[in-house]
Each structure stands twice: as structure tokens, then as C-alpha cells.
Amino acid sequence: MNVVVLGPAGSGKSLLTCRFGGYLLKEDYSVKFLNLDPGCLDVPYHCDFDIRERFTVEKIMAKEGLGPNGAVLRAMDMLSETKIPQLDGDFVLFDTPGQLEVFAFRSSGPKIIDQLSDPIGIFIIDATIGANDLPSAYLYSLAISYRLGIDTLRVVNKVDLLNKQERERVSKILHNPKILEKKVKTMGVLADIYLPMLKILGKVIPAQRIPLISAKTEEGFGELLTILHEVKCVCGDLT
Ligand SMILES: Nc1nc2c(ncn2[C@@H]2O[C@H](COP(=O)(O)OP(=O)(O)O)[C@@H](O)[C@H]2O)c(=O)[nH]1
Ligand SMILES: [Mg+2]
């Protein structure tokens, strides 16, 4: 199964790749790890393929006299021309570039995803964004999945950083996003857009299982594995 780990910078893509891969190995699956982030200094797992052996953002900066943003753009264009090796494994995990928006909204993301057979995305929502902003993170995940053309399940990561009340609030909103209605109403003219959107999310989000996980403590990994199996092995339905 080709699993592409997606999420904003710092949401925990690399740590989740490392720890969830380790968890799968302990469960006796064969696992391959691929790092597609040319900008990272280090990854916490042993790579079976590492894009940094071909190019890095740092070297591009030095060689082409570019600043960090220019070099990231250049690196993403180079990534789009890269042939990804086809590796065998029960789970082939792809850790993606730190700057998700550059990966997704330039050609590299869609071109990489196109090379993978039957991929599934795991989109990380960082729990520290706060419960009230879960809908915005969810909408962002939809935009990314749409752009990349990949079926994606969502996880809320870093729940170890939430206290009991915050965790309950996250669970509550995932079960019923419409409880945010009062907050949205205070947002002025854009409420005309947000309110109908919240109604749709109120139907869509509770129908999905969005596990609360921690890449640090490995909480929720069992549930994540179950969902992956259900999505890819049984019915292809994300609910
Ligand atoms: N407490 C906590 N920290 C996490 C978790 N997942 C990632 N981190 C930390 O968040 C930071 C960014 O993680 P990283 O995997 O590099 O994010 P990436 O940019 O998405 O690859 C690192 O300091 C991680 O140790 C988690 O579940 N809990
Ligand atoms: Mg990373």
C-alpha cells in the first residue's frame, strides 16, 4: 500500500512516518520509507529512498545563488522531474516536503502522486491549531486532496499536547461541527459563505472516522491502521 503522508510544515509528517512505520514493522508488516523532502536536514528513520541524495535545497541555494524560497521552488520543480523508484512492501510510506503548499500547488505533487499505484494520503491536522479552527484545517485538507487527486484520510496529530477539556472539545466538534455556528456568525460578511459551508461539513465530517493520534506517544496508531485496511482492502469508503 502506497501511503503518502501530507500536512502543513511542522504538523508531524516525518515523525509520523518514522513512528507509524516502526509500529507497522512491530506488527510484522514489511515497510519501506521514502523521504521526498529535499529541504530537511535530517529524517528520524532509515530511508530506502532519499531525495536528498539527488539534490537538496541547501545545495541549490549555494549553487544557484537563490534564497530559501527560490531554492524551494527550484527543488519542487526538480522533484517533479524525478522518477520515484517502485519499492515493494506491505506499506510504502512517503514523507513529503515540509512546504505542503509548494508541493501541492506546483506540478511536483500531482506528478509524484501520478507515479504511484493506488496511493492513499494521510493528511495531518495539527491539534494545536485549536478546536475552533478544525473546519479550516479540514477544508485545507480537501483542497490538497483535490489538487493532488488522491483519496485522503485525516488524522488529528499531537493530541498528547491537549488537556482533557481540549481533547473533549476536539472530539465534540468532529462529531458535530455545527456547534461552531455561533462563532461563525460573529465573523461578518463572510458568514454568508462560512455558514452554508459549516452545514455541509456538519454532514461530511461526522461521517468520517478521524482518529486522534500522537506521533510522539503512538496513541491512535491501532485505529489508524484499521482505517487504512478498511479503506484500501475492503470497500474503498472513507467513512
Ligand atoms: N508533542 C508532539 N510533538 C510532535 C508530534 N508529532 C510531531 N511532533 C513534533 O513537531 C515538530 C515537527 O515535526 P516533523 O515531523 O518534523 O514535522 P513535518 O515538518 O510535518 O515533517 C517536531 O519537533 C516533532 O517532534 C506529536 O504527536 N506530539
Ligand atoms: Mg518533515
Side-chain angles (χ1 to χ4, degrees), residues 10-223:
S11 58
K13 297 179 292 293
S14 299
L15 192 61
L16 182 63
T17 303
C18 170
R19 292 291 179 81
F20 189 57
Y23 171 83
L24 293 170
L25 286 169
K26 275 188 263 159
E27 295 285 314
D28 275 344
Y29 292 103
S30 60
V31 184
K32 294 288 191 308
F33 298 83
L34 291 87
N35 173 42
L36 299 184
D37 185 359
C40 67
L41 293 179
D42 215 354
V43 285
Y45 47 84
H46 166 80
C47 297
D48 295 289
F49 172 79
D50 190 345
I51 193 67
R52 293 174 304 163
E53 285 171 11
R54 311 262 174 103
F55 54 88
T56 68
V57 170
E58 218 176 351
K59 280 187 192 147
I60 293 170
M61 281 171 69
K63 210 164 137 194
E64 303 192 21
L66 293 166
N69 288 340
V72 167
L73 293 183
R74 177 87 186 98
M76 288 304 105
D77 292 342
M78 288 166 79
L79 185 61
S80 71
E81 303 302 325
T82 303
K83 180 132 181 43
I84 304 299
Q86 303 291 315
L87 301 178
D88 284 333
D90 297 323
F91 289 87
V92 181
L93 303 181
F94 294 84
D95 185 11
T96 56
Q99 276 74 18
L100 173 63
E101 63 284 359
V102 190
F103 179 63
F105 293 114
R106 288 183 81 86
S107 63
S108 54
K111 278 193 178 166
I112 293 289
I113 301 293
D114 265 0
Q115 294 183 37
L116 310 181
S117 85
D118 200 21
I120 175 95
I122 296 178
F123 187 96
I124 302 177
I125 294 172
D126 188 327
T128 61
I129 191 174
N132 291 343
D133 279 311
L134 284 174
S136 65
Y138 186 90
L139 287 170
Y140 184 48
S141 79
L142 288 182
I144 296 294
S145 317
Y146 184 83
R147 163 68 181 160
L148 294 177
I150 183 172
D151 254 356
T152 306
L153 56 90
R154 283 133 201 108
V155 297
V156 175
N157 186 37
K158 302 192 189 178
V159 293
D160 60 288
L161 295 176
L162 302 185
N163 64 33
K164 193 163 168 271
Q165 276 170 337
E166 290 167 332
R167 186 186 281 244
E168 278 167 7
R169 176 117 176 112
V170 167
S171 297
K172 228 169 157 180
I173 288 170
L174 291 178
H175 281 103
N176 182 15
K178 281 188 281 189
I179 60 176
L180 290 172
E181 236 165 36
K182 282 207 184 86
K183 291 209 170 289
V184 176
K185 275 178 192 160
T186 64
M187 278 182 175
V189 285
L190 283 177
D192 289 346
I193 296 171
Y194 296 144
L195 277 174
M197 210 179 272
L198 202 57
K199 281 212 172 72
I200 295 170
L201 292 184
K203 288 190 183 140
V204 175
I205 297 181
Q208 299 190 358
R209 280 163 62 200
I210 303 181
L212 305 190
I213 68 163
S214 165
K216 188 176 174 189
T217 66
E218 306 195 1
E219 175 184 347
F221 280 9
E223 191 184 356

